[in-house]
Structure formats: C-alpha cells, structure tokens
Amino acid sequence: QVQLVESGGGLVQTGGSLRLSCAASGLTFRRFGMGWFRQAPGKEREFVGGISRTGGSTYYGDSVKGRFTISRDNAKNTVYLQMNSLKPEDTAVYYCAAENIGAYASSSAYAYWGQGTQVTISS
C-alpha cells in the first residue's frame, strides 16, 4: 500500500533551520505532485509548499515564501522541505501528501497523506 513517511522534525530556536524529508513507497512517485501542509493546535490545515512531478515548478504559501524551499529526488522517491529563519508561528505538525491533478494548494486534491512530524520553534 501507499506509504508516506515524514522525518526530520524537532525542536529548534527562533531563527534556526530544519530539513524535513518524506519518503514515499507503494506508488509511482514521479507521477505525483507532492505537497507539504501543516496544522497547528486549534487551527486549520495550511498549505506550505507544493512541487510538480518533475520538480520544475514549485509553489508556496504566503507565510513561508522566501524562507522555505521544497525539492524532490525522484530517484530516491523523496520530497524535502528546507525550512530557514524559523519562527514560533511555524510550530505545527507538518504533513507531506501526494496528488495527481495539479491543484497543489488545495488539501482536497491530495490522495495520500503521511502521519506527520512535529516541528516546534522556541522563542
């Protein structure tokens, strides 16, 4: 079955960096656009970033533009999220997801989801 497994979360101080990874299995990875979402306690799930099947196009939520970078390695079936200049408001559970209709910012477009990894930014 399809599995998306996130890793790389943790606790860092304001201004620090983290790199999240999401390893995919059970699907033809190169046929799927990939996205990262996050959800903080009491808040709705928020689009963070998306990347096209080839990696040639990337998309970001307004709150992370210029600080986060999404990338993928189709040979390793893995998508990454490099997070720099982290802020306390970036604290959330981060999820990766796979979609195949091209609507990267919409959570409803995603067919498969990982279990999430916790990111906590201390002030």
Side-chain angles (χ1 to χ4, degrees), residues 48-121:
V48 174
I51 188 166
S52 62
R53 299 172 187 180
T54 63
S57 296
T58 56
Y59 311 88
Y60 297 96
D62 289 342
S63 62
V64 307
K65 282 180 182 176
R67 300 188 298 122
F68 290 12
T69 303
I70 188 171
S71 62
R72 66 188 294 163
D73 185 338
N74 284 353
K76 295 183 178 180
N77 287 2
T78 301
V79 62
Y80 305 97
L81 185 68
Q82 177 67 43
M83 306 187 294
N84 298 329
S85 302
L86 285 161
K87 306 174 182 180
E89 51 264 43
D90 294 318
T91 295
V93 177
Y94 283 70
Y95 300 90
C96 75
E99 67 84 53
N100 59 4
I101 65 172
Y104 296 98
S106 174
S107 61
S108 61
Y110 290 79
Y112 305 107
W113 291 82
Q115 292 299 307
T117 185
Q118 177 70 47
V119 171
T120 303
I121 312 304

